[in-house]
Amino acid sequence: MRRFRFIAVAAAALLLSILVWYCLDVKSKARGDKESWFRMKGVVLSVDDLASVSWPEIAKKYGINTIGTHITPSQVREFIQSARGKEFLEKCDSYGIDVEHQLHAMGELLPRSLFEKDSTMFRMDESGRRVPDFNCCAHSEAALETIASNAAVLARALPATNHRYYYWLDDNSLPCFCPECRDLNASDQALLIENRMLEAIRSVDPQASLAHLAYQHTMVPPEKVKPSEGIFLEFAPIERQWDRPLKDLDAPGRKGRMSHKTVLEMLDANLKVFPPESAVVLEYWLDVSLASGWKKPAVDLPWHPEVFVSDLDVYKGRGIRNVTSFAVYMDSVYFESFPIQKGLSDYGTVLGVYR
């Protein structure tokens, strides 16, 4: 009985996949004179991935028009200044591929070593102690000035060809609980920092915009602080599932921590604060590192085309036109181990024809 049930489920999934692709093919042929709905069709890759295989050629082959470098500012600067990095930039330019830098930046924008010099730059924990573990005190003028100054230096060293900058705060970190900060949620505090950073970045790149990353604690939208013009939403639903579509509201989420219903509620709440036309969705459809539990050797990417297409419907329905996905661990060893990459092919093809 179980065997027949498995066969029935597999057959249904295959039929759905065929129907999805048929509809996309008909839509593409019928509207071949129109551009795809999604302007940004991106991937985010670590410098190890970029150094080991020629991603500009891969991106061109699959219709990807944006590559985001990753992980830290110092790692990316070292790569970009290398011969391999310069070749990467030249090829991206020749293929018309935008290069941006999606960075875990706060640890370098406000070095932890400054704690001994001025502890008030760092957050206060719930017991009233200043601690140098995460981020900063969002009401410290010294902290904001240091962060902004270093952000300008970083923007000069790592310009984004599309003028979009991503200087993320520390992951899943607690906010500051000092008397000035305690009544602001994590996103409010993040915006105080981001608004100040954007001002400094625009002294280098007048067209710059800066991401507000909605991720873990900052999935809850800001309530009291307004984003400056030029701050855009980057929505990263890491707690969702990828074997079930977002519109499946009963899906409990990865490890049961956040249901799809809650994920979409958070997205909708954020889109009341940030304009959807500039929003970027940072997904994990292609993220081999997540699928591998962030350990190598990497596994082959689990791929669910019907989920991917359904998710695009969800994002389009909210007016979002910019999508990218982590594709970390897609390096030379990965492509040698798994040369047939249906997920990567589907990703670029569907985004290229989606109307």
Side-chain angles (χ1 to χ4, degrees):
M1 188 68 179
R2 290 181 180 176
R3 181 180 179 185
F4 287 117
R5 185 178 301 166
F6 173 80
I7 293 173
V9 171
L14 178 61
L15 178 60
L16 177 58
S17 179
I18 292 171
L19 287 172
V20 165
W21 284 108
Y22 173 77
C23 292
L24 284 169
D25 186 56
V26 170
K27 188 180 290 187
S28 174
K29 291 175 180 176
R31 304 181 182 179
D33 58 331
K34 296 183 179 180
E35 293 183 356
S36 168
W37 168 263
F38 292 101
R39 291 188 293 249
M40 177 187 182
K41 300 173 275 288
V43 289
V44 177
L45 298 150
S46 76
V47 294
D48 291 337
D49 304 322
L50 295 170
S52 70
V53 67
S54 184
W55 258 99
E57 274 86 2
I58 296 171
K60 181 184 178 184
K61 176 180 178 181
Y62 292 116
I64 291 165
N65 65 8
T66 307
I67 295 177
T69 69
H70 189 59
I71 300 174
T72 68
S74 57
Q75 290 173 329
V76 172
R77 286 178 73 166
E78 182 178 0
F79 169 71
I80 291 299
Q81 292 169 0
S82 70
R84 184 69 167 170
K86 292 175 182 176
E87 180 186 11
F88 162 75
L89 291 178
E90 290 170 359
K91 286 185 176 180
C92 285
D93 181 60
S94 67
Y95 296 150
I97 297 168
D98 275 320
V99 176
E100 57 186 26
H101 309 287
Q102 303 227 16
L103 305 171
H104 288 289
M106 184 52 63
E108 295 186 26
L109 295 176
L110 184 67
R112 307 294 99 176
S113 60
L114 294 176
F115 184 75
E116 293 184 6
K117 177 182 177 182
D118 184 358
S119 65
T120 65
M121 291 194 291
F122 296 84
R123 78 178 193 94
M124 182 179 287
D125 66 16
E126 292 177 278
S127 67
R129 296 181 304 116
R130 294 284 179 179
V131 288
D133 51 1
F134 307 119
N135 296 322
C136 69
C137 173
H139 280 84
S140 166
E141 178 60 28
L144 294 178
E145 180 57 32
T146 300
I147 291 167
S149 176
N150 285 331
V153 171
L154 186 55
R156 190 172 290 108
L158 296 174
T161 62
N162 56 15
H163 307 288
R164 280 197 295 258
Y165 294 81
Y166 305 79
Y167 297 165
W168 300 336
L169 277 63
D170 291 325
D171 279 2
N172 203 25
S173 56
L174 293 173
C176 180
F177 292 95
C178 77
E180 290 81 11
C181 289
R182 67 177 51 155
D183 292 331
L184 300 178
N185 70 23
S187 290
D188 286 318
Q189 293 186 31
L191 269 181
L192 288 176
I193 302 164
E194 291 155 359
N195 287 345
R196 188 66 169 270
M197 280 199 289
L198 178 60
E199 182 181 351
I201 295 167
R202 282 188 164 174
S203 70
V204 176
D205 180 353
Q207 299 180 63
S209 58
L210 178 67
H212 167 79
L213 181 65
Y215 175 86
Q216 295 180 326
H217 283 312
T218 54
M219 287 283 277
V220 176
E223 298 174 351
K224 298 180 180 180
V225 179
K226 293 183 178 181
S228 297
E229 183 276 326
I231 299 289
F232 64 89
L233 174 68
E234 183 175 34
F235 188 77
I238 193 171
E239 301 299 354
R240 63 161 296 185
Q241 293 173 239
W242 291 276
D243 58 348
R244 295 170 67 173
L246 277 172
K247 63 176 60 174
D248 181 355
L249 302 183
D250 293 327
R254 190 170 65 95
K255 298 183 179 180
R257 288 193 291 236
M258 183 177 290
S259 71
H260 286 191
K261 181 176 184 293
T262 301
V263 170
L264 291 180
E265 288 174 348
M266 291 294 99
L267 176 57
D268 290 337
N270 274 283
L271 290 175
K272 292 179 181 178
V273 179
F274 303 91
E277 58 268 19
S278 63
V280 172
V281 168
L282 174 58
E283 264 286 1
Y284 299 78
W285 296 304
L286 300 177
D287 192 3
V288 177
S289 67
L290 186 151
S292 305
W294 295 282
K295 295 180 181 179
K296 291 187 177 182
V299 303
D300 196 8
L301 176 73
W303 181 245
H304 305 279
E306 68 284 359
V307 171
F308 173 58
V309 174
S310 175
D311 290 346
L312 293 183
D313 288 339
V314 166
Y315 292 131
K316 180 191 175 183
R318 286 161 170 79
I320 295 170
R321 306 198 67 175
N322 303 299
V323 298
T324 191
S325 174
F326 280 111
V328 178
Y329 282 11
M330 283 194 177
D331 57 14
S332 59
V333 174
Y334 178 78
F335 286 112
E336 289 169 4
S337 302
F338 309 107
I340 299 175
Q341 282 299 302
K342 188 175 186 301
L344 192 56
S345 176
D346 289 356
Y347 180 77
T349 300
V350 176
L351 285 174
V353 303
Y354 193 95
R355 308 292 183 240

